[in-house]
């Protein structure tokens, strides 16, 4: 099963536990094969004083950890989730654990993340 298929299943299930089966994109990790086919990480900066990062792209997801204003986070992809103050996008972050953060409180650095 491809990485894209496994990630799509994870997003559809809305369970971070399933995300553990997805091979995380980590800087410096050797993916082998064609460099053009390697997953790309995106970056963002947290704008909330304290951002709760969750197990699912909604406020009902379990809080896994927090991020703080000015912190740079690694973004794997984006998806549509619960609308937070007019923004329905959520980012899947890869900083140590897989967790969802509302895009309302994360500004992109560079290109916008790809869709999950």
């Amino acid at each position: 099963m491809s990485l894209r298929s496994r990630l799509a299943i994870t997003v559809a299930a809305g369970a971070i536990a399933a995300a553990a089966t997805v091979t995380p994109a980590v800087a410096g990790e050797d993916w082998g094969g064609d460099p053009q086919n390697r997953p790309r990480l995106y970056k963002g900066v947290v704008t909330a004083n304290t951002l709760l990062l969750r197990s699912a792209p909604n406020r009902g997801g379990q809080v896994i950890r927090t991020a703080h204003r000015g912190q740079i986070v690694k973004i794997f992809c984006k998806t549509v989730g619960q609308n937070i103050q007019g923004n329905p996008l959520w980012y899947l972050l890869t900083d140590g654990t897989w967790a969802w953060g509302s895009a309302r409180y994360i500004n992109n650095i560079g290109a916008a993340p790809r869709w999950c």
Side-chain angles (χ1 to χ4, degrees), residues 80-95:
V80 174
Q82 182 179 3
N83 189 313
I84 306 297
Q85 293 186 1
N87 189 334
L89 298 179
W90 287 71
Y91 294 149
L92 181 58
L93 307 180
T94 65
D95 302 284

Side-chain angles (χ1 to χ4, degrees), residues 1-114:
M1 182 181 293
S2 73
L3 174 64
R4 177 179 221 130
S5 297
R6 288 187 286 179
L7 187 55
I9 290 168
T10 300
V11 170
I16 199 66
T21 64
V22 177
T23 305
V26 178
E29 184 172 330
D30 182 15
W31 286 80
D34 182 9
Q36 298 299 322
N37 292 328
R38 293 180 186 165
R40 178 178 175 191
L41 287 182
Y42 301 85
K43 290 184 180 179
V45 61
V46 175
T47 61
N49 287 333
T50 300
L51 177 60
L52 301 178
L53 302 176
R54 300 179 178 274
S55 62
N58 59 61
R59 286 186 174 158
Q62 178 183 1
V63 175
I64 295 175
R65 61 187 174 90
T66 60
H68 302 283
R69 182 183 299 276
Q71 184 176 339
I72 305 297
V73 292
K74 295 176 189 168
I75 304 168
F76 186 73
C77 62
K78 66 183 172 187
T79 194
V80 174
Q82 182 179 3
N83 189 313
I84 306 297
Q85 293 186 1
N87 189 334
L89 298 179
W90 287 71
Y91 294 149
L92 181 58
L93 307 180
T94 65
D95 302 284
T97 58
W98 292 80
W100 292 98
S102 171
R104 168 67 179 86
Y105 301 109
I106 301 172
N107 287 342
N108 297 332
I109 297 173
R114 68 177 171 275

